[in-house]
Amino acid sequence: MISNPVLVLRKQGKLEEAFVLAKQNLQLNPEDMEEKLSLGWVYYDYLKRHALEIDFDAFIEVLANISDLELPKKPNLLIDSLAWPIRSLVDNLISKNKWNFIVADQLFNLIKPLCFTRPSETFSLLIRTLHHGFLKYNNYLEVMDWCTLDSFEAQDYVESHINGNKGMSIVEKIYINYAKSLLNKDSIIEIDNRKHRLQEFNIRLTKLIEQYPNYVYPAYYKAKILLELGQNTKALEAVLPFARSKANNFWVWELLANIYNDNAPYAFACYCKALSLGAKDEFLLRVRQDFCDLLIESKMYVEARTEIQHLLKVYHSQSLNTPQKVKYWMNQPWYTMVRGSDNNYILYKRYKGIAEKLLYQDIPVDVVVVEYVHYDKKLLHFIKNKNFSGFFKYDTFIKNPKIGEILDVRLQKEGDNGFYLANTVERSTQQSCEAIKSGHGVIRILANGLGFIGDVYFSQELLANNYITNESAITYKAFMVFNKKRQQWGWKAFEVSLLNTNVG
């Protein structure tokens, strides 16, 4: 049986009567903590009502009244429970387009003095609410600093699953937007303190990446922070694995171009790759403008005018002002002396391959030899040593590979059947590799036309094409092969020539 008269009235929905009674009780015992909490819970019910009615002024008045109760600066159930009506109010204001910076800031200033249990389920709810509400405002950092990035519960790190689709955890979302805010020059942060803040957050971000390698986007923002700090080499190391997984997005190549800002040929290639991906022109304004700088610097005026024409088209269609830099270019003598083309697709195609190779520079090159080629299927079998062999599709990298040819490759294993996904394939400048040996000797040719020198096997076709007869003294090159029938390793010759005339 409920003995608290105020609670009885609340349960009966008689909120005004409960308020009058709780107020009177507190006036009689102004320092009594139970009476303060009793009135506080009445205020809580009012908050729920005002949130539902989207009465912001009434809501903040009641929230201020709770602060005026001067509850002890330690967590309690009443304060923790405030996260629910706050969430309800913010969601309702956003849904009715009544949420704005002034409203948000006013609400946050009343939340700040309150003492919540951290971490807790209700505080996680409040963090989510504040993240959602302040996402686009320039005081996002202030809000998240008040929440602190150490106040998450274990569940906050778990990726979401909605209708079978995997999404980012709230922690990943907050870290990403925190990074964006630090990098945003319009954020409320002292210029002198920006570098220190970036360095501090980079440590946190690195730890998050190490602990949650399944998170996709933190590596991208770590690279952007390192770039802002002038640590281009570390930025490249951080972003390459991410860039490989998101290589079809122009903004990945824009970042790589910025990282290579002191290497014009690589930056040029990255811009070509970015512009080759078919993104909408309105998304490519910054990329095109930066690319124009390199084109003009290289005196590629026709190509530069072509890019400027694309820029002007978007400025006009989007009713945007033409940047001063673009106006300056248009007033230069070269601009009137050349005519642009419809596009620079041929230029992009010529250079984008250079950029694509940059993605794999942190992966070691393996030197392999071509063992067999399926020309119809565009597949080649390769071997490096006894522990590394298989096959891959070669047609997007090289043409007409030959048996015995040495290749520099970067490969990624796909499944367990020996198939590899080729990342880079180039003809090697090396003359030999681990899987090749050279030798000489007198060949013994069997009745079936096969030849042998020790454990080196010579095919009938190879011998016939090179006019090799039994007991000829020859030199040869051979690559390593595995004899499945005998379950042992041997060598198969792919190149042979006479050393001198027959002996006998």
Side-chain angles (χ1 to χ4, degrees):
M1 183 176 180
I2 302 174
S3 59
N4 186 328
V6 174
L7 181 55
V8 170
L9 291 170
R10 288 177 56 219
K11 294 291 184 181
Q12 293 174 348
K14 299 176 180 179
L15 197 52
E16 286 71 19
E17 294 178 37
F19 171 73
V20 171
L21 181 57
K23 190 77 171 177
Q24 290 174 347
N25 291 341
L26 183 59
Q27 288 172 346
L28 293 173
N29 299 285
E31 300 303 320
D32 189 297
M33 186 54 57
E34 291 299 323
E35 299 298 352
K36 286 186 177 184
L37 288 172
S38 181
L39 179 56
W41 283 109
V42 174
Y43 285 144
Y44 173 79
D45 288 341
Y46 272 115
L47 288 178
K48 291 194 295 182
R49 175 190 290 182
H50 298 325
L52 189 62
E53 296 171 347
I54 320 181
D55 189 340
F56 179 73
D57 291 336
F59 189 97
I60 61 170
E61 181 181 348
V62 173
L63 195 58
N65 289 339
I66 292 176
S67 293
D68 290 341
L69 290 174
E70 297 182 348
L71 297 172
K73 293 296 182 181
K74 61 181 181 180
N76 62 71
L77 181 59
L78 171 62
I79 299 301
D80 287 344
S81 299
L82 297 180
W84 295 101
I86 291 172
R87 173 60 177 267
S88 177
L89 175 72
V90 173
D91 285 350
N92 290 336
L93 286 169
I94 291 174
S95 69
K96 298 298 182 180
N97 294 319
K98 294 182 177 181
W99 182 256
N100 55 57
F101 178 78
I102 295 174
V103 166
D105 195 52
Q106 195 172 357
L107 178 62
F108 179 60
N109 285 331
L110 287 171
I111 292 173
K112 280 194 294 185
L114 301 174
C115 187
F116 292 86
T117 302
R118 309 179 184 208
S120 66
E121 181 181 349
T122 50
F123 194 68
S124 289
L125 176 69
L126 182 62
I127 293 176
R128 290 170 185 265
T129 302
L130 296 175
H131 164 72
H132 184 53
F134 287 82
L135 192 61
K136 298 179 180 179
Y137 297 144
N138 62 4
N139 62 341
Y140 182 86
L141 289 174
E142 178 192 356
V143 174
M144 287 300 123
D145 286 342
W146 175 81
C147 293
T148 78
L149 298 179
D150 296 316
S151 297
F152 297 113
E153 290 218 297
Q155 188 63 27
D156 296 327
Y157 292 88
V158 178
E159 293 169 313
S160 64
H161 290 82
I162 302 174
N163 298 325
N165 297 318
K166 187 171 73 171
M168 287 187 280
S169 71
I170 185 61
V171 171
E172 184 177 3
K173 290 178 181 178
I174 289 173
Y175 268 74
I176 288 171
N177 209 64
Y178 197 96
K180 286 181 180 179
S181 298
L182 279 175
L183 292 164
N184 183 2
K185 301 297 191 296
D186 293 329
S187 292
I188 301 175
I189 177 173
E190 295 178 7
I191 295 176
D192 294 340
N193 195 33
R194 183 178 296 279
K195 182 177 180 180
H196 176 68
R197 293 288 302 272
L198 286 168
Q199 290 171 332
E200 265 192 344
F201 185 66
N202 181 53
I203 295 172
R204 280 188 172 275
L205 198 54
T206 300
K207 185 177 180 181
L208 183 76
I209 293 168
E210 291 172 350
Q211 292 180 334
Y212 299 91
N214 54 311
Y215 288 0
V216 177
Y217 288 93
Y220 173 75
Y221 287 97
K222 174 180 171 67
K224 295 196 77 168
I225 287 172
L226 289 168
L227 180 61
E228 185 72 14
L229 292 170
Q231 300 178 30
N232 293 37
T233 301
K234 290 184 177 180
L236 183 63
E237 292 173 0
V239 83
L240 281 177
F242 170 84
R244 288 193 286 270
S245 69
K246 298 292 181 182
N248 289 327
N249 295 280
F250 78 89
W251 39 266
V252 167
W253 297 99
E254 180 185 16
L255 175 59
L256 287 170
N258 291 332
I259 289 173
Y260 283 114
N261 60 6
D262 60 348
N263 187 323
Y266 282 173
F268 189 97
C270 288
Y271 283 127
C272 284
K273 178 63 180 180
L275 292 164
S276 74
L277 292 170
K280 293 181 179 180
D281 279 348
E282 53 263 39
F283 298 148
L284 296 171
L285 296 178
R286 186 172 57 196
V287 173
R288 286 195 193 281
Q289 190 170 321
D290 290 343
F291 188 41
C292 281
D293 277 324
L294 294 181
L295 290 170
I296 295 168
E297 184 179 316
S298 301
K299 294 183 170 53
M300 300 175 71
Y301 297 130
V302 173
E303 293 81 357
R305 176 153 183 162
T306 299
E307 297 298 335
I308 291 170
Q309 288 171 179
H310 281 277
L311 289 171
L312 294 174
K313 183 179 178 181
V314 176
Y315 297 149
H316 178 72
S317 65
Q318 302 288 324
S319 299
L320 300 173
N321 293 326
T322 302
Q324 289 300 316
K325 176 182 275 191
V326 177
K327 289 181 179 179
Y328 172 78
W329 291 334
M330 294 170 67
N331 288 324
Q332 296 304 297
W334 64 261
Y335 189 81
T336 57
M337 294 171 60
V338 300
R339 294 184 63 184
S341 304
D342 290 338
N343 57 66
N344 280 326
Y345 293 159
I346 295 175
L347 178 69
Y348 304 157
K349 186 176 181 180
R350 187 187 311 157
Y351 288 96
K352 69 176 185 176
I354 297 172
E356 290 166 352
K357 291 177 184 178
L358 296 175
L359 285 182
Y360 304 98
Q361 60 188 281
D362 60 330
I363 299 176
V365 172
D366 288 304
V367 182
V368 303
V369 61
V370 178
E371 182 183 6
Y372 184 78
V373 183
H374 292 278
Y375 290 105
D376 291 341
K377 297 180 179 179
K378 308 298 182 185
L379 288 171
L380 69 76
H381 290 249
F382 70 90
I383 183 168
K384 176 183 179 181
N385 52 39
K386 293 180 180 180
N387 300 316
F388 185 23
S389 62
F391 59 98
F392 60 83
K393 294 274 287 185
Y394 64 83
D395 53 314
T396 57
F397 300 97
I398 58 174
K399 295 180 179 179
N400 301 318
K402 301 291 190 293
I403 292 175
E405 193 168 14
I406 300 173
L407 304 175
D408 293 335
V409 300
R410 292 183 177 94
L411 304 174
Q412 178 180 332
K413 192 171 184 180
E414 293 280 313
D416 298 320
N417 65 345
F419 179 73
Y420 285 79
L421 179 67
N423 293 323
T424 65
V425 179
E426 294 182 309
R427 287 184 163 91
S428 182
T429 58
Q430 298 193 40
Q431 299 300 308
S432 189
C433 68
E434 188 178 350
I436 289 179
K437 77 171 183 176
S438 301
H440 61 84
V442 176
I443 190 169
R444 177 172 57 92
I445 301 178
L446 305 181
N448 60 9
L450 303 180
F452 292 90
I453 296 179
D455 60 352
V456 181
Y457 153 75
F458 297 77
S459 70
Q460 185 178 13
E461 181 182 12
L462 179 68
L463 296 175
N465 288 342
N466 290 276
Y467 306 104
I468 305 299
T469 58
N470 188 37
E471 296 187 345
S472 295
I474 62 172
T475 62
Y476 63 83
K477 284 185 177 181
F479 53 72
M480 190 179 293
V481 292
F482 184 69
N483 189 318
K484 292 182 179 179
K485 184 176 181 180
R486 296 184 179 182
Q487 290 293 297
Q488 65 182 32
W489 286 91
W491 299 86
K492 180 179 179 180
F494 63 88
E495 187 177 300
V496 63
S497 62
L498 285 168
L499 186 63
N500 53 30
T501 58
N502 289 354
V503 294

